[in-house]
């Protein structure tokens, strides 16, 4: 459509992962989610246990949603705003609290002001014994949120604290570890010698969790290209001025990006499609965002209904698709 100028695409830097050394867990406990959320809606799994014994990575589904040597499952929330609102971390199974730590700040571990994390990589955390050498551990809880004490009996679903970013963490999440004695156990495939794959895998969960190798965390529309820090902090879905916007920019916040993944951003208005842009990733990125848009024509954007869409594709298949609708007067 004539009259619209394409804005340059914007690429955000890579977020750094924390690498943790944490616990595992005779009869195996049956586990509920370790935080109060709905997977795929307001939380997601950012990393699984790394099952590759060498320098490579492999999650239980034969994917690469792990970090080398990662010994737990990272249940993440999307933004710092979500963390500020407070997301409870809960006991995945009944047991006795074996140990706790609190009082460490919520700060990106790569920040120059971050504290010394020697032997405190877990940050604020709780460890629970479930008997017969089975144990679960919950790391990176929010400062001053831990609400249980050593020796306390807890039931499944009982609040332990809030999701935070303490210790060796660069995004808000709870690193959930299961172990039996000193052995790491993957709750999605407890037999650590088993071949990876999604076919008839016996796991420790009360309810099956759909495997998502990547996807969209948030999308939105602005009248400018946002800073990456704003995206990580948390932006509204639609944040446009009351007066006629000088541009319409759609942005998408993505997790689990892989080489050759496609991120497509598009806009449509009352007259039909305004345009689209497809960006192909050149490297793996645990987090990234993309933004693209159109400058307003001289007469301004016509009033009416608009739609912004973001699609994440891998190998030609859609991993995730989200849409925001809005009106311009």
């Amino acid at each position: 459509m004539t009259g619209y100028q394409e804005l340059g695409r914007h690429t955000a830097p890579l977020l750094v992962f924390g690498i943790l050394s944490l616990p595992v867990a005779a009869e195996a406990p049956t586990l509920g989610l370790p935080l109060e959320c709905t997977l795929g809606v307001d939380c997601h799994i950012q990393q699984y246990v790394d099952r590759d014994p060498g320098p490579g990575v492999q999650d239980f589904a034969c994917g690469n949603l792990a970090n080398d040597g990662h010994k737990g499952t990272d249940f993440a929330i999307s933004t710092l705003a979500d963390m500020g609102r407070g997301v409870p971390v809960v006991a995945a199974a009944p047991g006795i609290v074996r140990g706790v730590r609190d009082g460490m700040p919520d700060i990106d571990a790569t920040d120059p002001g971050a504290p010394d994390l020697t032997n405190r990589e877990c940050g604020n955390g709780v460890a629970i014994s479930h008997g017969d050498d089975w144990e679960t551990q919950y790391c990176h809880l929010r400062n001053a949120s831990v609400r249980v004490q050593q020796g306390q009996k807890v039931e499944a679903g009982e609040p332990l604290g809030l999701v935070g970013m303490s210790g060796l963490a660069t995004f808000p999440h709870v690193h959930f570890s299961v172990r039996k004695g000193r052995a790491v156990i993957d709750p999605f495939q407890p037999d650590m010698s088993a071949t990876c794959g999604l076919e008839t895998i016996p796991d420790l969960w009360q309810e099956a969790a759909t495997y998502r190798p990547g996807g969209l965390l948030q999308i939105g529309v602005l009248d400018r290209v946002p800073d990456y820090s704003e995206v990580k902090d948390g932006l509204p879905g639609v944040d446009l001025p009351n007066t006629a916007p000088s541009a319409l920019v759609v942005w998408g916040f993505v997790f689990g990006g892989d080489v050759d993944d496609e991120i497509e951003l598009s806009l449509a208005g009352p007259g039909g499609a305004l345009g689209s842009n497809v960006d192909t990733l050149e490297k793996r990125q645990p987090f990234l965002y993309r933004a693209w848009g159109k400058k307003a024509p001289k007469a301004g954007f016509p009033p009416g209904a608009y739609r912004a869409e973001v699609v994440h594709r891998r190998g030609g298949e859609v991993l995730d698709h989200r849409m925001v609708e809005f009106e311009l007067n």
Side-chain angles (χ1 to χ4, degrees):
M1 180 175 291
T2 59
Y4 292 89
Q5 248 186 333
E6 184 171 313
L7 294 181
R9 66 189 182 189
H10 192 83
T11 302
L14 173 73
L15 271 181
V16 180
F17 274 77
I19 304 174
L20 307 174
S21 298
L22 304 170
V24 172
E27 187 172 299
T30 301
L31 304 173
L33 286 183
L35 70 170
E36 290 185 2
C37 68
T38 301
L39 278 174
V41 178
D42 52 1
C43 66
H44 69 284
I45 295 176
Q46 181 64 41
Q47 291 197 104
Y48 294 89
V49 171
D50 178 22
R51 303 177 67 89
D52 188 312
V57 298
Q58 184 179 81
D59 61 36
F60 79 98
C62 302
N64 57 16
L65 206 59
N67 224 27
D68 187 22
H70 197 246
K71 298 178 181 178
T73 305
D74 287 348
F75 290 86
I77 54 180
S78 299
T79 67
L80 293 174
D82 296 330
M83 186 181 86
R85 284 188 284 270
V87 178
V89 175
V90 300
I96 302 295
V97 176
R98 185 183 65 78
V100 300
R101 181 194 292 126
D102 204 349
M104 293 182 65
D106 296 289
I107 185 171
D108 187 324
T110 64
D111 190 302
D116 178 15
L117 298 176
T118 303
N119 297 322
R120 300 192 300 167
E121 293 92 343
C122 179
N124 304 317
V126 177
I128 298 176
S129 172
H130 305 285
D132 294 321
D133 284 337
W134 285 94
E135 183 172 289
T136 56
Q137 186 164 332
Y138 312 73
C139 292
H140 311 312
L141 274 59
R142 201 168 94 181
N143 189 19
S145 76
V146 176
R147 53 186 296 177
V148 294
Q149 298 178 343
Q150 185 174 6
Q152 179 178 336
K153 182 179 179 181
V154 293
E155 300 298 330
E158 186 167 339
L160 307 176
L162 298 174
V163 175
M165 203 169 73
S166 60
L168 190 54
T170 59
F171 58 97
H173 70 289
V174 58
H175 175 103
F176 176 69
S177 297
V178 183
R179 60 179 171 250
K180 174 103 168 70
R182 298 181 63 85
V184 173
I185 302 295
D186 181 352
F188 289 88
Q189 172 49 289
D191 182 355
M192 299 299 288
S193 65
T195 303
C196 65
L198 290 173
E199 296 80 14
T200 62
I201 293 177
D203 60 36
L204 298 183
W205 301 105
Q206 290 177 2
E207 298 182 11
T210 300
Y211 175 75
R212 295 181 69 209
L216 298 166
L217 299 178
Q218 287 192 320
I219 76 165
V221 178
L222 291 170
D223 60 343
R224 57 183 174 80
V225 174
D227 292 330
Y228 192 33
S229 60
E230 294 178 287
V231 174
K232 292 184 290 183
D233 286 346
L235 286 169
V238 178
D239 191 10
L240 295 171
N242 294 327
T243 56
S246 60
L248 292 176
V249 176
V250 55
W251 57 268
F253 190 20
V254 181
F255 82 95
D258 207 350
V259 178
D260 293 331
D261 281 7
E262 293 181 343
I263 311 298
E264 180 178 8
L265 303 101
S266 62
L267 287 164
L274 303 183
S276 64
N277 182 79
V278 178
D279 188 86
T280 301
L281 303 187
E282 297 180 352
K283 61 181 179 180
R284 286 187 62 202
Q285 292 182 264
F287 294 100
L288 62 124
Y289 93 103
R290 294 293 185 267
W292 167 89
K294 293 287 186 177
K295 290 184 178 179
K298 289 183 179 180
F301 291 106
Y306 286 76
R307 183 176 70 252
E309 295 184 75
V310 182
V311 181
H312 182 187
R313 294 188 184 90
R314 179 171 297 167
E317 296 185 3
V318 174
L319 285 186
D320 210 346
H321 172 215
R322 296 198 188 187
M323 177 176 64
V324 171
E325 296 180 315
F326 57 100
E327 294 272 343
L328 292 182
N329 299 320

